[in-house]
Amino acid sequence: MALINEHYMKLPNNYLFSDIAKKINSFKVTHPKEKIIRLGIGDVTQPLPAAVREAMHKAVDDMGSKETFHGYGPEQGYSFLIDAIIKNDYASRGITLEPGEVFVSDGAKSDTGNIGDILRHDNSIGVTDPVYPVYIDSNVMSGRAGILENGKWSDVVYIPCTEENHFIPDLPSRRVDILYLCYPNNPTGTTLTKEELKKWVNYALANDVLIMYDAAYEAYIQDPAIPHSIYEIKGAKKVAIEFRSFSKTAGFTGIRCGYTVVPKELNGFTLDGQRVQLNKLWNRRQSTKFNGTSYITQRGAEAVYSPEGKAQVKEIINYYMTNARIMKEGLLECGLHIYGGDNAPYLWIKTPHGLSSWKFFKKLLYEVNIVGTPGVGFGPSGEGYLRLTAFGDREDTLEAMTRLKKWLL
Ligand code: MLT
């Protein structure tokens, strides 16, 4: 008799975005003629940059000849990509990393979900609220979250980020061992200044807290004063793991590639207080459970850092950030309260007339055929908000604003 991991039974039936997809499908069945505009899940719409495609074509050809064929690659990633990551994403910001500190993967979702494998089941977890659901759900699965009571997991420390505190989280009131931070933030689209991030690093240093820093949206930062990496803060290598993704940077949501930085200075502890390098544990976990990202994908990711790749990626990011500007202006014109969207591809809307997140979601879908993501799906402090993404097509984005103005004005 195979006994199951009963923690899975505590989870709501569906992952947030699967739940929304189901609701859209049932709407489509009853309203087959309506043209839905999808600004819900943060999936990109613009094609892969030419430099990436060319590199991937060439990599396919490599696979077709005996001399350049690649079988299993290193589980940690090929050095050509790791070197490009270190040089362009870190050295350029004055951050020194060794190749052995960077682990290429199939994306930040997998890594943020899997990282818990190397940590004990009874660590206490802190999250900013609202939060990317993967951090919570993956901790529920391993028994760290407790039980769901009134929309909150009993063993999770929620750090509210709302209009009232300008979406800047306060230090937690209760002890946490592991803290998730995502900046630029998904879902609120807000950012932290260097000073604010420093407060968190110093807190982690003083209290032996491990920070999981998700920087999947750093490429969208427009303001040069906002940090792209937590390692821009002194001492962060002692307390933080950083997750990055090519999904939102270079259109890899369907290709799958990201990476995780686990500095060698970063230690966890055994129950009897012995320090252990988390880098060693993650390396061990990856070598056992992961066989590396495909050679073709990694060649594509490497091309993101070529001069042509950089220029093309910049153009795509400008495209989405122009969407964000169009949306922000349009929504403000509708009289809505809007946050985010300046240094991130997400806009966080306060629902009008105090509507609940789901009520506003349904009204949007049924009355103007626009899909957003209900804020409460990201956690209790998301109630009364809705998230729209700037990853839509320009035409759809403009059409969505026209529909909203007609509807709300
Ligand atoms: C989102 O919409 O929050 C993201 O697309 C989800 C993800 O990156 O997995």
Side-chain angles (χ1 to χ4, degrees), residues 15-17 40-44 108-109 132-134 186-187 214 216-217 245 247-248 253 256 346 373 378 387 389 391:
Y15 177 59
L16 174 65
F17 293 106
I41 190 163
D43 195 3
V44 293
K109 181 177 183 179
Y132 179 43
V134 172
N186 179 14
D214 186 348
Y217 299 92
S245 168
S247 287
K248 314 297 160 86
T253 51
R256 307 309 306 151
Y346 293 123
T373 308
F378 297 101
R387 192 193 74 177
T389 94
F391 287 124

Side-chain angles (χ1 to χ4, degrees), residues 49 219-222 249-250 304 306-322:
Y220 288 85
I221 294 173
Q222 310 288 306
T249 310
V304 167
S306 68
E308 305 74 34
K310 280 183 186 170
Q312 291 157 11
V313 162
K314 198 165 169 217
E315 209 173 297
I316 297 176
I317 287 171
N318 284 344
Y319 178 94
Y320 292 133
M321 288 312 286
T322 303

Side-chain angles (χ1 to χ4, degrees), residues 11 15 108-116 125-142 144-145 153 156 158 178-187 212-217 243 378:
L11 285 164
Y15 177 59
K109 181 177 183 179
S110 321
D111 284 358
T112 51
N114 290 329
I115 194 78
I125 302 297
V127 295
T128 54
D129 173 34
V131 66
Y132 179 43
V134 172
Y135 313 153
I136 299 260
D137 288 5
S138 59
N139 278 295
V140 174
M141 289 170 181
S142 50
R144 288 189 201 100
W153 293 92
V156 172
Y158 290 82
I178 300 168
L179 174 81
Y180 289 82
L181 292 179
C182 172
Y183 285 98
N185 187 254
N186 179 14
M212 303 291 187
Y213 194 74
D214 186 348
Y217 299 92
F243 304 90
F378 297 101

Side-chain angles (χ1 to χ4, degrees), residues 64-133:
S65 112
K66 212 166 175 191
E67 293 71 40
T68 47
F69 172 76
H70 286 75
Y72 289 129
E75 296 92 355
Q76 301 77 2
Y78 284 103
S79 57
F80 61 77
L81 178 55
I82 292 177
D83 292 347
I85 289 169
I86 293 177
K87 179 168 166 231
N88 291 281
D89 289 345
Y90 292 97
S92 63
R93 297 189 186 281
I95 300 161
T96 323
L97 289 178
E98 287 177 31
E101 297 181 305
V102 177
F103 296 83
V104 175
S105 72
D106 64 347
K109 181 177 183 179
S110 321
D111 284 358
T112 51
N114 290 329
I115 194 78
D117 273 17
I118 64 168
L119 299 159
R120 254 179 83 100
H121 67 280
D122 48 3
N123 281 294
S124 58
I125 302 297
V127 295
T128 54
D129 173 34
V131 66
Y132 179 43

